[in-house]
Amino acid sequence: MMDYEADRHLARRVIRLRRHLPWILTASTLCALIALGVSLTLPKIYRATTDVLVSESKIGTGTENTLWQYALIRTYLPFVDSDSLLKKALHDLHLDGPPYHLTVYRFRKKGYLDVDIPKHTRLVEINVEFPDAQIAARLANYLAQQAVAFNERLMAADTASTQLFLKTSLDQARDRLKRAAAERLNVKKKAKIEDQEKELSILLAEKADFSTQLEQLSMAVSQNLARAKAFSEELRKEPEILNLQKSLVSDPFLQHAVDKIGKVEDPKLSVVEQTLSKSHEAFQTQYVAAVADAQGEQAGLRAGRSKLAEINRNLDRVLSQIARSRNDIEMVDRQYALAQQAYATASQDYLNASISVSSKSQDLKQLAPATVPEQPVRPKMLLNTILAGILALVVLSAAALLVEGVRESALYLPVSINERTGTTAGR
């Protein structure tokens, strides 16, 4: 069901508001004109804008984490928005004197500087608002250039400190290399590895000669023992004395003598003669010679084996010395190689100090210098006038409605009370 009473009240209020429309429009126009006048009297503020690019170093490998890079860009805000830089700018541009007499506190309080980083960009945006257009442009360019110069000084300082650190490391590496070289030379001098190797070769040659001689003596002993054994067997077979029976009748002279003596019963008269066996003597001589040769060769074999044992002991001693010397030389050579490698690495790092610092830093570059603005950004006279007029119209209309509401309440409230009083009296 529609509320006709509310519609009638609204219609009455609109009709009453129309009666106030002339003075509402007049007052709104007056407010707009006042706003226009105030805007005309306010000082004009000019905005100069420049951008500083935070670019990744072109030297070395870049960082793959883009979000991390964008997060770190905010660390470059103090390069521009710092009190020390503002103080220096005010002094260099003579803004701390007449007619402005600006300090860092007053400069920030008036909101002349705004430094921001647009989202998903590598830019540092510098906005300077100032009553003088040329000073605004100069101040924006000054802050951008000083930020770039400060970054360059910071990189130079980092390079110098890095070079100093690497120079210290290089000196230490050079000292270690010198000590390693001196120790290496000292160990090689004490080792005398060439003399030990020469002695080893001599001992090896002697051992080879004695081994050959001992082998020959051993073979000769075996041969002589075999000969002695063979001659011994032959001696046992061969008799030492030979019995020779000689018939006397075979000799004409002996037969003639026997005939003179007389007849002999034994028809065969014989004589037994004993003599040494020449074969036995020959075998005996050869046997004795073989045994003597074998004994002499055995004595030489024992002496050779004793000498070979002494050579082996000397070989063990020389080999142990050579092993220790080579181990010491290998250790000092390894230390020398490590010291040499450390020195080469330190030298390369020292030579590439500036490159290594540049590869790990980011560059600041001013994209384009700020130009002198032609139009002020504040005050906006047209916008201020329109907004003042609209605001005055709304406020005055609300005030008129409030006044009419109060009047309506004052008119209807007494009538209602009288009607209630009269009704009660009639009853």
Side-chain angles (χ1 to χ4, degrees), residues 173-174 176-178 180 334-344:
R174 185 185 294 109
R176 286 197 299 270
L177 181 60
K178 289 181 179 179
R334 188 181 301 112
Q335 292 176 359
Y336 178 77
L338 291 175
Q340 196 173 21
Q341 183 179 2
Y343 177 72

Side-chain angles (χ1 to χ4, degrees), residues 183-217:
E183 185 178 0
R184 178 167 173 255
L185 181 60
N186 188 24
V187 169
K188 285 189 174 182
K189 284 182 179 180
K190 289 182 178 180
K192 296 181 180 180
I193 191 69
E194 293 83 4
D195 296 339
Q196 293 179 3
E197 289 179 348
K198 186 176 181 180
E199 184 181 0
L200 177 63
S201 62
I202 293 173
L203 290 174
L204 289 175
E206 289 181 359
K207 181 179 180 181
D209 293 340
F210 272 98
S211 297
T212 303
Q213 292 177 7
L214 288 176
E215 187 177 355
Q216 292 175 356
L217 286 174

Side-chain angles (χ1 to χ4, degrees), residues 355-369:
I355 298 177
S356 62
V357 172
S358 300
S359 63
K360 297 176 183 178
S361 61
Q362 308 230 353
D363 297 331
L364 294 184
K365 297 179 181 178
Q366 185 180 9
L367 291 182

Side-chain angles (χ1 to χ4, degrees), residues 344-386:
T345 303
S347 300
Q348 190 66 29
D349 291 341
Y350 178 71
L351 293 176
N352 297 333
S354 59
I355 298 177
S356 62
V357 172
S358 300
S359 63
K360 297 176 183 178
S361 61
Q362 308 230 353
D363 297 331
L364 294 184
K365 297 179 181 178
Q366 185 180 9
L367 291 182
T371 58
V372 178
E374 298 179 356
Q375 297 294 330
V377 293
R378 294 197 310 269
K380 298 180 180 179
M381 292 181 290
L382 180 60
L383 181 61
N384 292 341
T385 302
I386 295 174

Side-chain angles (χ1 to χ4, degrees), residues 88 145-146 148-159:
K88 188 173 183 298
Q145 293 168 3
Q146 288 297 316
V148 174
F150 177 74
N151 184 64
E152 292 177 353
R153 290 195 302 271
L154 188 63
M155 288 179 58
D158 289 343
T159 302

